């Protein structure tokens, strides 16, 4: 295959996102001497992380979110700041790195979310992305006047309509509707600003949005659910998917399945980038890397880890159960929490085949994401293997501690990937869509010429 000019097409390249939490993904990162605990609320810390990721030419950085405080707060909480507000602060300290934040379709409304992300897109010059989640925690529901979260199927039905409305709102201004014509006094062309007049099962919204079209058309759509409903949702809407796959074989199976669903939904397989989580401890030698990992694990709270696992599997576990077999787990079909994460634990641990303590070790730190301990060269080898063997379009890098874990990845692993021709040596776009090699979406109010009239 060649381009129209006869030259060979550009080699497929990795996409890398930095998944950032506080001072690191490891649950005890805030206690470790390699971090500064007060940085969890320090905006300068997060701006520095953005600059480090940008130095490595990473596509984007990402903040997860949850809308509750639960009993795990005794030992850790990773959701102290609103992601979109925080990303706005990072936007003014960076120039090219993409900025992806989480917002729930269960506990918000489309107009507010669409406007928040449109504003971030304008502040950053077209670098915003929305990680779409459907809240499932009981404590979240209680914060929004509900006795329980909606059922899994209801959350996804609402989520689909929510995204449809957000897309309509982002299209409500045509690309050239904002005129700012000083001489004529025309601020905006009213004929190019449209109401959406949406009336659906969950929302009734007139529109238009109060923010004009952004430099990349509209924010990148990201999704992280890997249940059957989640994969169908991603196939329809998502342009990047964050996923947890523990083995190469699991990654390949998920990749094939999701790409097939994208094509079935009428899109190109290249319209969606699959980015599994990758949780690395990196040292000059394997022994050094393992010692680094152990220094963090020595600070873990068993109580915190048990509560984390209890939430994932929907079964209450305590310290008395540590050396007993993992009890029977709910069926995925009947489970109303994160179905994909429950399935991951089932695949990884097996009902009754491991003690609770052993399961906690298997899930240590990475929470079911690909965990890797080794040298920078070995990390690069593993990333290349998954990329070339059809398990990933890139990775969601999860540094165990910050800023050091991100700096090590950027300064030691990225150059190896660049030398192998697997990753960019400089940005080729100013927008997040451009970073991911995706085209700007066509506004629904712009007529597309037919072949007969083109």
């Amino acid at each position: 295959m060649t381009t129209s000019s006869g030259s060979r097409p550009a080699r497929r390249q990795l996409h890398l996102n930095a998944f950032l939490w506080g001072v690191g993904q490891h649950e005890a990162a805030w206690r470790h001497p390699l971090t500064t605990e007060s940085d969890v609320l320090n905006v300068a810390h997060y701006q520095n992380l953005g600059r480090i990721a940008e130095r490595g030419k990473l596509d984007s950085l990402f903040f997860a979110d949850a809308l509750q405080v639960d009993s795990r707060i005794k030992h850790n909480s990773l959701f102290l700041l609103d992601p979109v507000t925080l990303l706005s602060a990072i936007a003014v300290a960076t120039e090219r790195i993409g900025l992806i934040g989480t917002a729930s379709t269960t506990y918000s409304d489309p107009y507010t979310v669409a406007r928040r992300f449109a504003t971030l897109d304008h502040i950053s010059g077209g670098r915003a992305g929305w990680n779409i989640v459907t809240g499932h925690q009981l404590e979240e529901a209680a914060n929004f006047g509900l006795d329980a979260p909606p059922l899994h199927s209801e959350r996804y039905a609402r989520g689909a309509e929510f995204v449809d409305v957000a897309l309509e709102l982002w299209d409500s201004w045509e690309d050239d509707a904002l005129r700012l014509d000083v001489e004529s006094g025309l601020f905006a062309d009213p004929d190019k600003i449209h109401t959406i007049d949406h009336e659906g099962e969950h929302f009734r919204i007139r529109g238009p949005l109060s923010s004009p079209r952004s430099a990349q058309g509209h924010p990148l759509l990201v999704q992280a659910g890997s249940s059957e409903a989640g994969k169908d949702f991603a196939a329809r809407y998502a342009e990047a998917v964050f996923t947890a796959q523990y083995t190469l074989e699991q990654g390949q199976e998920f990749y094939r399945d999701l790409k097939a669903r994208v094509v079935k939904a009428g899109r190109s397989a290249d319209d969606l980038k699959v980015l599994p989580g990758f949780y690395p401890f990196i040292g000059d030698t394997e022994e050094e890397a393992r010692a680094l990992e152990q220094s963090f694990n020595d600070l873990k709270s068993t109580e915190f880890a048990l509560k984390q696992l209890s939430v994932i599997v929907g079964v209450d576990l305590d310290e008395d159960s540590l050396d007993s077999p993992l009890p029977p787990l709910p069926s995925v079909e009947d489970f109303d929490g994160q179905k994909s994460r429950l399935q991951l634990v089932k695949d990884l641990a097996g009902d009754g085949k491991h003690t609770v303590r052993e399961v906690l070790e298997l899930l240590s730190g990475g929470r079911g994401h690909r965990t890797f301990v080794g040298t920078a060269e070995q990390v690069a080898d593993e990333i290349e293997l998954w990329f070339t063997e059809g398990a990933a379009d890139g990775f969601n890098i999860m540094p165990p501690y910050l800023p050091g874990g991100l700096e090590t990845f950027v300064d030691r692993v990225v150059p190896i990937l660049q030398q192998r021709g697997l990753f960019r040596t400089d940005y080729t776009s100013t927008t997040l869509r451009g970073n991911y090699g995706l085209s700007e979406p066509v506004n629904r109010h712009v007529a597309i010429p037919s072949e007969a009239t083109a």
Side-chain angles (χ1 to χ4, degrees), residues 49 58 73 79 138 146 154 189 224 244 250 277 296 310 319 388 400 404:
L49 296 178
L58 271 61
I73 194 67
F79 308 113
L138 178 61
L146 301 177
E154 294 174 2
D189 185 345
Q250 289 172 343
F296 279 84
S310 297
E319 295 199 26
T388 58

Side-chain angles (χ1 to χ4, degrees), residues 63-85:
F63 288 93
D65 196 23
L67 301 171
Q68 89 279 352
V69 171
D70 58 35
S71 59
R72 290 172 288 181
I73 194 67
K74 178 179 178 182
H75 299 287
N76 199 349
S77 176
L78 303 172
F79 308 113
L80 297 178
L81 300 171
D82 172 70
V84 178
T85 306

